[in-house]
Amino acid sequence: MKKTKVNEIENFRIGNAQDLEGATGCTVIVCEKGATAGADVRGGGPATRETDLLRPENMVQQIHAVTLSGGSAFGLEASSGVMEYLKEKGIGFHMGDIVVPIVCGACLFDLAVGENTHPPKKFGRIACVNSEFNLVEHGNVGAGTGASVGKVLGKEHSMKSGLGTYALQCGELKVGAIAAVNACGDVYEPNSSIHVAGLYDPATNTYMDSEEMIMEMAESRPHENTTICCIITNAKQTKAQMNKVASMAQDALARTIRPVHTSSDGDTVFAMACGDVEAPTDLVGIMAVKALEQAIVDGCKAAQDAYGLVCWATLNEKKAD
């Protein structure tokens, strides 16, 4: 198994649109050929679109895009711009002369970081147009523009996070992950006690432990959370298999974010497959977990200082001093 680039997975394109002043944006993963897909929602406060149709027993067999968006539930509007873009290209579910693009989506809460704004409908279209360039972008872009982590004690103890990507290849099989990291808790290197970002003390430039703090306070107040992700692969899989892949991929959140899947989180993982590579579902799922772990870490390490929030690189410079 080797590392590859997420934009080298055939049949998929990734594009971003953002409002840097408003601290919000959206990320679109487009598959014009249509992808079999699944989803797994673990957070207690999701803002999602078209997840029910991904259940194996439901009629629609393929989707054409996933939209990851800021703006909380308001951000679901961006998917309508994605639909318009795809409809103009004749891409979608065909019923006679009628074409309905199938676009799934999920949103994170970034309203308190910037100017209490959200990605409008036109941002979905802009992200689709940008996907035609299919660039790999990280950090303060797309759905990661207003993302932050470590929110237990409020903004003054939080850190900037963002959008991360990572991809792996095993033989002809490719699996990639895109993650907008916006957790209430702390982000760690996978299966370790090594902090990447989260709750910290600005007076000493040292990390704190969100779970310990919640237990000390004996309460967990609502926070502006949610990590939203998408797995893409060139494997040949069914809807049921991709739902299993999405479920397995949630392990990546459990291995890197503490706490995670809380009542105020909307943690959601989509999984899309478009290709003809025969591969066991468990192999696809294992690779998805490993790719998503690193995408979550990348989303924190690639972020830059913004909106009064310090990033991983800056905090490490301060600690070195």
Side-chain angles (χ1 to χ4, degrees), residues 10-309:
E10 51 269 28
N11 299 318
F12 294 97
R13 305 196 317 261
I14 303 167
N16 296 295
Q18 54 275 330
D19 175 359
L20 295 177
E21 291 186 3
T24 194
C26 66
T27 299
V28 177
I29 301 95
V30 177
C31 181
E32 293 190 1
K33 291 180 64 175
T36 55
D40 190 284
V41 182
R42 298 280 176 94
T48 55
R49 169 194 169 106
E50 300 280 38
T51 52
D52 279 352
L53 64 77
L54 297 177
R55 293 167 58 179
E57 69 269 24
N58 288 338
M59 177 181 64
V60 173
Q61 293 301 306
Q62 293 185 322
I63 69 171
H64 305 95
V66 165
T67 307
L68 308 178
S69 177
S72 190
F74 293 110
L76 293 171
E77 179 184 5
S79 291
S80 296
V82 179
M83 287 190 70
E84 282 191 353
Y85 170 92
L86 293 170
K87 180 183 177 183
E88 290 171 5
K89 291 181 172 291
I91 297 164
F93 181 67
H94 289 258
M95 296 174 287
D97 294 332
I98 301 171
V99 178
V100 181
I102 307 300
V103 179
C104 300
C107 300
L108 56 80
F109 192 106
D110 56 8
L111 298 176
V113 174
E115 300 179 355
N116 190 17
T117 187
H118 68 276
K121 181 179 177 179
K122 67 178 181 181
F123 271 36
R125 174 185 286 275
I126 292 170
C128 286
V129 172
N130 288 337
S131 78
E132 295 172 7
F133 300 98
N134 202 24
L135 302 176
V136 178
E137 297 182 291
H138 311 254
N140 301 18
V141 295
T145 303
S148 58
V149 294
K151 307 177 187 184
V152 173
L153 297 179
K155 186 175 180 179
E156 61 273 19
H157 292 276
S158 301
M159 290 180 64
K160 186 71 183 76
S161 53
L163 186 75
T165 69
Y166 201 87
L168 293 166
Q169 182 170 355
C170 182
E172 294 183 354
L173 176 63
K174 300 175 185 177
V175 180
I178 303 97
V181 186
N182 189 60
C184 163
D186 309 319
V187 176
Y188 293 80
E189 294 283 356
N191 295 316
S192 79
S193 59
I194 303 172
H195 263 98
V196 176
L199 189 68
Y200 86 107
D201 183 352
T204 60
N205 295 317
T206 56
Y207 289 111
M208 304 168 70
D209 188 309
S210 290
E211 290 182 326
E212 291 291 337
M213 187 58 62
I214 290 172
M215 288 187 286
E216 285 182 18
M217 295 188 299
E219 63 175 328
S220 179
R221 298 187 298 272
H223 302 285
E224 300 84 13
N225 314 330
T226 297
T227 296
I228 48 179
C229 318
C230 186
I231 302 297
I232 58 175
T233 179
N234 64 350
K236 184 178 181 180
Q237 300 281 287
T238 66
K239 282 177 68 176
Q241 289 171 322
M242 290 313 288
N243 274 282
K244 183 58 179 175
V245 169
S247 175
M248 291 177 69
Q250 285 276 10
D251 288 351
L253 276 69
R255 294 177 184 179
T256 56
I257 302 172
R258 305 171 202 165
V260 72
H261 305 147
T262 70
S263 58
S264 58
D265 280 318
D267 299 324
T268 301
V269 177
F270 294 98
M272 304 171 71
C274 183
D276 56 8
V277 177
E278 299 285 349
T281 301
D282 286 345
L283 174 58
V284 178
I286 290 169
M287 291 174 67
V289 172
K290 291 186 176 296
L292 186 51
E293 288 173 349
Q294 295 304 321
I296 290 169
V297 171
D298 178 58
C300 293
K301 290 187 175 181
Q304 298 177 336
D305 292 353
Y307 319 116
L309 299 170

